[in-house]
Amino acid sequence: MKKIVFVGAGSVVFTQGLLADLVKFPELRGSHIALHDIDAERLQVAEAVARRITAGAVTVTAHLDRREALDGADFVINMIQVGGYDATVTDFEIPARYGLRQTIADTIGVGGVFRALRTFPVLDALAADIAAVCPDTLLLNYTNPMAMNVWYLSGKVRNVVGLCHSVYWTMRGLAELVSVPYEEISYVAAGVNHQAWVLRFERDGEDLYPRLDADDPELRRRVRVDMYRRLGYYPTETSEHSAEYVPWLMHHDAELDRLRIPVGEYLRVSEENLNEYKRTRDLVRHGGELDIAGTDEYAPQIIHSIVTGTPRVVYGNVVNDGLISNLPHGCVVEVPCAVDATGVRPTAVGALPPQLAALNRSYVSVNELTVRAALEGRPEHVRHALMIDPNTAASLPLEDIWRLADDLTRAHGDLLPEALRL
């Protein structure tokens, strides 16, 4: 019986989708699903949802104590959000006072940097618990900022892979756009999380990229289509995400209008997530029917492949050990990974086209400075990361960048690593 631990299981909607995916596999029935969260109410709701979805096909336990949940784990799925909704609001509202616009704020940028910094202390504790009770476990991380978190964890746990659904859903969308069934396409993507690139897009040897070149005025008003037409390769993340990773868009009113960029989008998403949690909680309490649907996430597929030996290719975020030759060694990149009974094996893709690597390097620089700030206890590197960040640097004068860093540091307070507090 395999033990699969959900850390941050109070993310009930996400937990629900992952569980629905897991119990689709007959070979995973009989597993032990251990749920952990620090919020007792959310954990209780997650447990009730899990029991409904799995219907006795697995053993479900719930734990407020993380180490107890982790003891003997074969797989750990991490999906925590440190600080929750209130911290997200802070990441938007304080920068907005300076005139800095953000859309999602969870990957790079001011929001991504501070989300990472308040997550790192919890990752330290998680890594220590894993070392103590399940050192050989495979840690599957969903928590953003993905690349920073995996980079930070890479020296602290033996086995970690970051998982994101952006490549998969991008390719589903592109297949639909060119009217080709997804099952008939083949593709290769690579880069960094939320800024990877579709390097190959084919069916039976036919390059499908030319089919994307129809002159559709509505498509031209999307950031990712605009980037594709200028850079030559389609990005694997939504327009809302992509807009804030570059220096050309967020501080121009005309560009916001031309490309229909939704400033503050993640605040609306977060509010809807809170409402969805409350709906789920109330349904559980009153015996209502849950809308149970699978999500085609990678974690259940990886677990199934390792347990059964079934070969698959998924996309993972892993340390760059020569996988992308023109991105820095040791950074975290997103590449195809082969999975079977031997584990997860990243695939080397060689060099990216130079314009793509150049854009990825600015992203990687923000990651490196943020990780170094925490590992080395150097608060000036937090400011350096924001100085290098494309959207922040293009939007604010230097003095405001430093004052903004101070304001956010005070606002997040004890959630940040002690050496980085004011």
Side-chain angles (χ1 to χ4, degrees):
M1 179 174 70
K2 297 299 181 181
K3 185 175 183 180
I4 305 165
V5 181
F6 286 32
V7 176
S11 177
V12 171
V13 176
F14 198 40
T15 293
Q16 178 176 310
L18 288 172
L19 287 169
D21 287 344
L22 281 167
V23 296
K24 284 181 185 176
F25 296 116
E27 299 91 343
L28 297 182
R29 294 178 182 176
S31 298
H32 175 189
I33 306 295
L35 307 174
H36 163 69
D37 203 275
I38 61 172
D39 185 311
E41 181 195 84
R42 281 182 169 266
L43 181 60
Q44 184 180 42
V45 174
E47 181 183 10
V49 167
R51 293 189 186 282
R52 288 239 201 137
I53 291 172
T54 59
V58 299
T59 299
V60 176
T61 58
H63 310 264
L64 287 168
D65 183 277
R66 182 178 53 228
R67 187 167 292 196
E68 177 184 87
L70 290 169
D71 192 15
D74 297 290
F75 304 95
V76 177
I77 301 174
N78 179 47
M79 45 192 172
I80 60 173
Q81 184 179 349
V82 178
Y85 176 73
D86 290 343
T88 297
V89 171
T90 297
D91 285 342
F92 276 90
E93 289 188 345
I94 292 178
R97 294 175 198 160
Y98 286 83
L100 180 63
R101 293 158 165 163
Q102 300 177 101
T103 52
I104 308 297
D106 73 347
T107 300
I108 55 172
V110 171
V113 167
F114 277 88
R115 181 178 285 239
L117 294 176
R118 64 178 181 265
T119 303
F120 290 163
V122 181
L123 296 183
D124 279 330
L126 174 62
D129 285 348
I130 286 173
V133 300
C134 55
D136 295 322
T137 194
L138 174 59
L139 175 57
L140 301 171
N141 180 72
Y142 276 105
T143 296
N144 284 322
M146 177 65 67
M148 294 191 214
N149 288 338
V150 173
W151 195 334
Y152 189 79
L153 281 164
S154 63
K156 297 173 180 290
V157 297
R158 292 180 188 172
N159 304 305
V160 58
V161 178
L163 302 178
C164 176
H165 48 227
S166 62
V167 172
Y168 173 76
W169 287 111
T170 291
M171 299 316 301
R172 297 283 312 198
L174 287 180
E176 183 177 349
L177 200 59
V178 300
S179 301
V180 175
Y182 173 77
E183 294 73 21
E184 296 181 15
I185 68 170
S186 60
Y187 57 89
V188 173
V192 291
N193 181 239
H194 291 173
Q195 199 185 65
W197 314 94
V198 180
L199 303 177
R200 207 169 69 229
F201 177 35
E202 300 173 348
R203 178 176 67 172
D204 296 331
E206 175 197 0
D207 182 6
L208 295 175
Y209 255 125
R211 298 199 190 188
L212 295 177
D213 292 332
D215 192 16
D216 183 333
E218 288 303 299
L219 280 179
R220 283 184 177 275
R221 294 188 65 202
R222 301 301 294 157
V223 170
R224 65 201 312 197
V225 173
D226 195 65
M227 291 177 69
Y228 157 56
R229 294 184 183 281
R230 296 177 191 276
L231 295 169
Y233 295 86
Y234 202 82
T236 63
E237 191 45 82
T238 63
S239 292
E240 291 80 7
H241 274 280
S242 297
E244 64 182 2
Y245 308 151
V246 296
W248 323 302
L249 301 176
M250 297 297 294
H251 58 297
H252 295 297
D253 291 343
E255 292 294 79
L256 295 179
D257 180 64
R258 177 177 75 91
L259 296 169
R260 299 174 292 185
I261 299 171
V263 175
E265 174 67 11
Y266 193 64
L267 288 177
R268 292 185 282 275
V269 171
S270 296
E271 289 169 4
E272 178 54 34
N273 287 343
L274 283 177
N275 292 333
E276 184 62 27
Y277 163 71
K278 291 173 183 175
R279 286 192 290 269
T280 302
R281 179 196 62 195
D282 293 344
L283 282 170
V284 167
R285 286 177 175 174
H286 298 107
E289 290 295 321
L290 293 173
D291 182 16
I292 300 169
T295 53
D296 294 326
E297 289 287 350
Y298 287 138
Q301 298 177 49
I302 289 172
I303 293 169
H304 181 260
S305 286
I306 292 174
V307 169
T308 66
T310 304
R312 282 187 176 85
V313 174
V314 303
Y315 277 78
N317 292 270
V318 293
V319 172
N320 187 32
D321 185 12
L323 302 171
I324 298 180
S325 59
N326 53 352
L327 291 183
H329 178 84
C331 75
V332 170
V333 294
E334 190 165 66
V335 294
C337 298
V339 193
D340 58 23
T342 64
V344 180
R345 299 187 308 282
T347 302
V349 297
L352 295 177
Q355 70 276 23
L356 307 184
L359 200 53
N360 283 166
R361 285 190 204 107
S362 63
Y363 173 117
V364 167
S365 294
V366 177
N367 288 354
E368 180 180 13
L369 286 163
T370 304
V371 172
R372 283 183 174 272
L375 291 177
E376 300 171 9
R378 296 184 61 179
E380 71 272 22
H381 277 344
V382 178
R383 283 80 183 156
H384 298 154
L386 300 185
M387 290 167 61
I388 297 301
D389 176 71
N391 181 38
T392 309
S395 300
L396 299 181
L398 191 57
E399 187 60 32
D400 281 358
I401 292 173
W402 280 61
R403 290 197 299 118
L404 172 56
D406 289 348
D407 286 352
L408 279 167
T409 300
R410 292 188 190 96
H412 288 304
D414 291 347
L415 293 177
L416 302 181
E418 186 173 358
L420 303 183
R421 302 172 196 166
L422 291 177

